Amino acid sequence: NHKFYGLMDMHAWKNMNQLALTWSTKPRKDLEIKTRVSKNYLMDSKDAWYGAGGGANTLAGGVFKDATGAAGKDLGMEWDLEATWVRNPKQTISAGIGLYQPGSFVKTLTGKNQAQFFGYLQYAAKF
């Protein structure tokens, strides 16, 4: 899912619109660097915000949903940076970081404006 909608897996392709800008480069044949920024919106402001697993994202006491639609559609922005190094044909090392800045929908339902961070480091070997 994060291949299409962001490293942090905050979204499913359900009740979502997304505007994304991506850029990748291969400064060397064994190294790829990708960046991505996306602005995310609810399609229907009266429906829930769904996560990568397909269920509604949860918050204390329930789910991210405003049946009145008054919280709006703005879910927020995600910023991602990934690097993949192919050490040899059987070994790959990848790392990535993500930042999620909540939009007005999230702020209205939680009363918070706190950004979330995510990071990973991965070693893959083929046998």
Side-chain angles (χ1 to χ4, degrees), residues 15-101:
N15 193 35
M16 183 192 61
N17 285 319
Q18 183 181 78
L19 178 61
L21 177 62
T22 61
W23 176 78
S24 66
T25 186
K26 288 188 93 172
R28 302 177 354 188
K29 69 178 184 173
D30 62 347
L31 178 65
E32 182 176 23
I33 299 170
K34 300 180 203 174
T35 59
R36 181 177 201 281
V37 62
S38 62
K39 181 69 175 169
N40 305 283
Y41 302 92
L42 293 175
M43 188 178 305
D44 177 357
S45 62
K46 295 179 181 179
D47 195 0
W49 173 24
Y50 297 91
N57 286 322
T58 59
L59 55 88
V63 297
F64 278 96
K65 181 176 181 178
D66 177 9
T68 69
K73 295 182 175 187
D74 179 18
L75 294 173
M77 293 187 72
E78 182 171 339
W79 304 79
D80 298 326
L81 175 63
E82 262 186 303
T84 302
W85 174 45
V86 180
R87 186 172 177 206
N88 61 49
K90 294 192 174 202
Q91 297 179 334
T92 303
I93 298 173
S94 301
I97 56 172
L99 164 67
Y100 198 86
Q101 297 172 302

Side-chain angles (χ1 to χ4, degrees), residues 74-77 99-117:
D74 179 18
L75 294 173
M77 293 187 72
L99 164 67
Y100 198 86
Q101 297 172 302
S104 59
F105 175 82
V106 178
K107 293 175 200 172
T108 300
L109 294 181
T110 64
K112 298 178 183 176
N113 186 24
Q114 187 173 358
Q116 294 183 36
F117 294 92

